[in-house]
Amino acid sequence: MPSDLPEQSTSIPRFGFSTRIGFVLAAAGSAVGLGNIWSFPAQVAENGGAAFVLVYLVLSLVLAYPALVAELMIGRYGQSNPVSALENLPEDRLWRPVTKVTAIIAVLMICLIFSFYSIVGGWLAGYTLAPLFESAMPDTASWLKTFAPTRNFVLAVAFIGLTLAIVNGGVQKGIERWSARLMPLLVLLLIVLIVAVMTQEGAEEGLQHYLIPDFNRINGSLILSALGQSFFSISLGVGAMMVYGSYLKRDANLPGVALQVCLLDTGIAFLAGLLIIPALFVALNLGVTIYLPDGHLANSDTLVFEVLPALFNNLGVMGIPVALAFFSLMSTAALTSSISMLEVPVACLTERGGLSRRKASFVICSGVLVVVAVVISSFDPLFSMVVNLTTGYAQPIDSLLFCLFAGWLMGRDRKLQEIQKGWPGVEHSLFWKVWPWYIRLVCPVMIASVFVLEHIG
Ligand code: PHE
């Protein structure tokens, strides 16, 4: 297949989602993952509780939601991988190199995200397997749970291997099936655990910390963290939603499905916080060290892995099955996100480079493994540098550019036609009155001001 003819990609038979609910679940599967249960609670704990939650919820609705509609729309309009979709977007050919380079950066960034994600996904896999070995092989159980370079690498390889196996199965068979089965179970287990944690000592204080905001805590750096967290959690700015948009049926209502995905993701993050912040206060009560004397978290990367086992131990005989259920559902949620990460470069390599799906996914995973090995070999400071570069900067900035491209380089008529396919009367709606100028001006200016605000304190 020629690699230099992006227009060709429209004629390549594409995978697709068989039902609309299948798409919503798969896109929500991409969105719901470690961002909700590993990094959101840690950010809440680090940034003063409810004040962060409030800013996060507002930003998810006023910035992430419109940006998600833009990203899905670019993908569905292009009917191709993000590089081709963005390259072919501008009416004026002069802009094509700019949109193409932005897309390539986004693809590289999602590969970097995939590498740190695999390390944390591996930890999760370790915590999932550990309860099975606890009584018969305690040494193996403790190896699985103890932070060490070899264990980190072996488990990350296992996580990448699983992701590879699913992505090789193709979109419909792999992604849709997994997401549809396991997401509802995760929500159910979260609710059961929230009820369980509320009965324990210290939980009430945690609940207050989570729900009653101290407005004095809101400043530039809190807002920037909330912005990065929100874009990471909704999988924005790196092409994941663009690729999923390209698999979405023509008659699906883009603003509608985007809203469902946003609400599901934000709802699950909120639930996860409702479990983990009170659990953190219960753990504090039990003497687990969480905060340093200066008020910062002792270890934000592993917070959840300290707090939750302490909670599960407290549940008596039920502790082991609950730990097993929780960590396996979490691992699955992480997998439904990582498959969307791998899907982005795989779609680019198959459609533009002519590689087979299998070959493309092997090539990408080998590259990601090298990055994983480098990050693990010098965990401090590389891990947080990679997290910060990708989620704190690349995602919001790329997303800002996607909004500008959709807003300024794609004519109003083309946008309207694309959205009308799934929402015939959209031109008379409030959505259409607001959204086009919102992504042209408001989103870019607001995202840019968050960065400015952070720098002036
Ligand atoms: N949104 C996912 C999560 O919350 C992470 C992700 C980021 C997935 C970027 C795809 C792209 O875990």
Side-chain angles (χ1 to χ4, degrees):
M1 196 179 306
S3 58
D4 51 348
L5 287 177
E7 278 83 1
Q8 281 237 334
S9 53
T10 41
S11 60
I12 294 171
R14 300 181 60 67
F15 290 102
F17 292 101
S18 55
T19 56
R20 201 184 99 154
I21 187 72
F23 171 82
V24 172
L25 283 170
S30 165
V32 175
L34 296 173
N36 306 61
I37 292 167
W38 164 71
S39 71
F40 175 72
Q43 295 258 20
V44 174
E46 177 72 47
N47 289 295
F52 181 89
V53 180
L54 186 71
V55 175
Y56 172 83
L57 294 178
V58 171
L59 291 182
S60 298
L61 217 65
V62 302
L63 284 183
Y65 169 66
L68 174 61
V69 179
E71 196 169 331
L72 287 173
M73 182 200 62
I74 296 177
R76 197 178 63 177
Y77 176 79
Q79 286 293 297
S80 56
N81 64 84
V83 175
S84 305
L86 279 171
E87 187 180 20
N88 294 327
L89 187 75
E91 268 143 40
D92 183 347
R93 286 187 161 260
L94 272 181
W95 283 101
R96 293 193 171 180
V98 177
T99 53
K100 184 176 170 185
V101 168
T102 309
I104 294 173
I105 294 176
V107 177
L108 291 176
M109 289 299 144
I110 206 166
C111 293
L112 274 185
I113 292 182
F114 185 29
S115 60
F116 83 71
Y117 210 84
S118 310
I119 298 176
V120 184
W123 297 343
L124 261 181
Y127 275 87
T128 310
L129 296 174
L132 300 174
F133 292 94
E134 213 73 73
S135 50
M137 297 161 80
D139 287 350
T140 312
S142 107
W143 182 83
L144 286 165
K145 291 190 293 186
T146 311
F147 189 96
T150 330
R151 165 265 199 179
N152 289 351
F153 188 71
V154 171
L155 293 177
V157 172
F159 186 83
I160 292 175
L162 275 174
T163 310
L164 189 69
I166 304 172
V167 167
N168 275 338
V171 173
Q172 224 157 300
K173 273 194 277 140
I175 305 178
E176 206 175 315
R177 202 191 300 154
W178 281 77
S179 308
R181 286 189 193 153
L182 294 158
M183 182 96 63
L185 273 182
L186 178 66
V187 174
L188 196 73
L189 187 62
L190 276 176
I191 294 174
V192 171
L193 286 174
I194 291 169
V195 174
V197 82
M198 289 308 161
T199 62
Q200 304 199 354
E201 195 136 341
E204 203 176 315
E205 202 186 329
L207 197 62
Q208 283 173 3
H209 187 71
Y210 189 60
L211 296 178
I212 304 172
D214 170 2
F215 292 100
N216 293 328
R217 296 291 302 243
I218 300 180
N219 57 24
S221 92
L222 180 146
I223 300 175
L224 185 61
S225 305
L227 180 76
Q229 174 59 34
S230 162
F231 280 41
F232 175 65
S233 193
I234 301 187
S235 311
L236 289 173
V238 277
M241 288 301 177
M242 212 177 276
V243 143
Y244 276 21
S246 77
Y247 300 137
L248 185 57
K249 284 205 173 133
R250 286 278 176 196
D251 60 2
N253 175 347
L254 287 175
V257 291
L259 189 64
Q260 276 171 287
V261 170
C262 243
L263 292 178
L264 256 171
D265 182 66
T266 314
I268 293 183
F270 186 78
L271 276 183
L274 209 50
L275 167 67
I276 289 161
I277 303 300
L280 183 157
F281 278 73
V282 172
L284 273 177
N285 237 351
L286 295 170
V288 178
T289 317
I290 303 224
Y291 287 106
L292 296 171
D294 67 3
H296 285 294
L297 281 177
N299 204 338
S300 60
D301 298 335
T302 49
L303 174 78
V304 167
F305 300 104
E306 284 153 25
V307 164
L308 286 176
L311 168 73
F312 298 147
N313 279 342
N314 232 7
L315 296 178
V317 276
M318 283 311 288
I320 291 188
V322 169
L324 190 64
F326 183 83
F327 284 119
S328 23
L329 286 171
M330 262 317 297
S331 306
T332 318
L335 274 173
T336 57
S337 298
S338 63
I339 50 188
S340 76
M341 296 172 193
L342 182 53
E343 186 60 28
V344 174
V346 165
C348 294
L349 283 188
T350 49
E351 293 178 11
R352 294 184 64 100
L355 265 63
S356 70
R357 224 179 145 71
R358 193 167 285 269
K359 215 182 240 164
S361 43
F362 271 111
V363 170
I364 302 293
C365 286
S366 316
V368 167
L369 264 185
V370 174
V371 179
V372 166
V374 173
V375 170
I376 287 177
S377 70
S378 182
F379 193 85
D380 271 328
L382 283 186
F383 183 82
S384 44
M385 269 169 62
V386 174
V387 174
N388 216 1
L389 167 75
T390 51
T391 65
Y393 292 90
Q395 286 196 279
I397 293 175
D398 267 347
S399 206
L400 177 159
L401 293 171
F402 294 170
C403 286
L404 287 176
F405 297 161
W408 296 89
L409 303 181
M410 183 181 180
R412 205 179 154 88
D413 289 348
R414 279 199 293 159
K415 282 198 282 277
L416 181 60
Q417 276 164 14
E418 190 54 47
I419 295 179
Q420 270 173 334
K421 286 175 187 151
W423 183 355
V426 66
E427 64 278 19
H428 309 297
S429 67
L430 179 66
F431 175 83
W432 186 250
K433 289 199 181 76
V434 175
W435 182 77
W437 62 264
Y438 200 88
I439 54 160
R440 289 184 114 185
L441 291 171
V442 182
C443 276
V445 168
M446 287 199 337
I447 297 174
S449 356
V450 172
F451 282 96
V452 175
L453 200 69
E454 149 76 354
H455 286 292
I456 57 176

